[in-house]
Amino acid sequence: MKKLTKKQLIVIGELFESGGDEAGVAKKYKVSNKLMRQWLKQKEFQEELAYKFASANRQSRLLLAKYIPLAAAKLVELCASEKEETARKACLDILTIHLPKNISQKNEDKSVEQESEGLSSNLSSKLLAVLADSK
């Protein structure tokens, strides 16, 4: 297995830090278009890029996971909003997030039951309280 050069590793790192500005990174590190294309065809270069993509994806998912409870709590709060349209949209957002995308009439009860198992008990309690108050 051929190892990547220090310059290749720097270029890959810079691609992620620059937001993917391939032309800008190539110019900054004096890498010709031809050489960049050769690198992009190289198995090791592709593998390193794939590793960086996976790492960035993991970091993004972890960051989002950290804020999901806050976003859910905010949506639940908005369900109780005095502004009818705001409350309606918040309720729809919650339902959209937690209901299966393809509910068939035949399996509706089963699917909803399975999905509700995925809601935290805290979120379920808040949703039920808001719905009870609205009646």
Side-chain angles (χ1 to χ4, degrees):
M1 182 182 223
K2 191 175 173 185
K3 286 190 177 187
L4 295 177
T5 66
K6 188 175 180 178
K7 187 172 187 175
Q8 285 176 312
L9 292 171
I10 290 170
V11 166
I12 289 172
E14 186 71 24
L15 282 170
F16 280 86
E17 289 184 26
S18 72
D21 180 12
E22 220 175 281
V25 172
K27 184 176 180 181
K28 180 177 178 177
Y29 291 97
K30 296 177 177 54
V31 176
S32 69
N33 289 336
K34 182 180 178 182
L35 181 56
M36 184 63 91
R37 282 192 300 273
Q38 287 174 347
W39 284 358
L40 289 167
K41 290 177 186 175
Q42 185 182 356
K43 180 183 174 190
E44 293 79 15
F45 197 86
Q46 290 173 1
E47 286 173 354
E48 185 66 20
L49 279 174
Y51 171 78
K52 291 285 192 180
F53 281 125
S55 177
N57 189 320
R58 268 191 313 279
Q59 289 173 13
S60 298
R61 289 173 49 208
L62 286 168
L63 182 62
L64 288 174
K66 178 181 176 182
Y67 288 98
I68 286 173
L70 178 64
K74 187 66 177 172
L75 276 174
V76 170
E77 277 179 38
L78 290 172
C79 285
S81 174
E82 290 184 18
K83 295 180 182 176
E84 203 171 301
E85 185 63 13
T86 300
R88 185 186 73 76
K89 286 181 178 179
C91 288
L92 284 174
D93 285 345
I94 289 170
L95 291 173
T96 302
I97 292 167
H98 291 288
L99 289 179
K101 290 181 181 171
N102 297 319
I103 296 178
S104 67
Q105 292 297 88
K106 195 175 185 182
N107 297 325
E108 185 172 338
D109 293 336
K110 185 191 241 183
S111 297
V112 171
E113 187 177 303
Q114 288 171 345
E115 278 297 311
S116 67
E117 290 173 6
L119 294 176
S120 71
S121 60
N122 189 24
L123 179 57
S124 297
S125 298
K126 287 181 181 180
L127 283 172
L128 290 172
V130 169
L131 292 172
D133 287 343
S134 69
K135 290 184 178 184

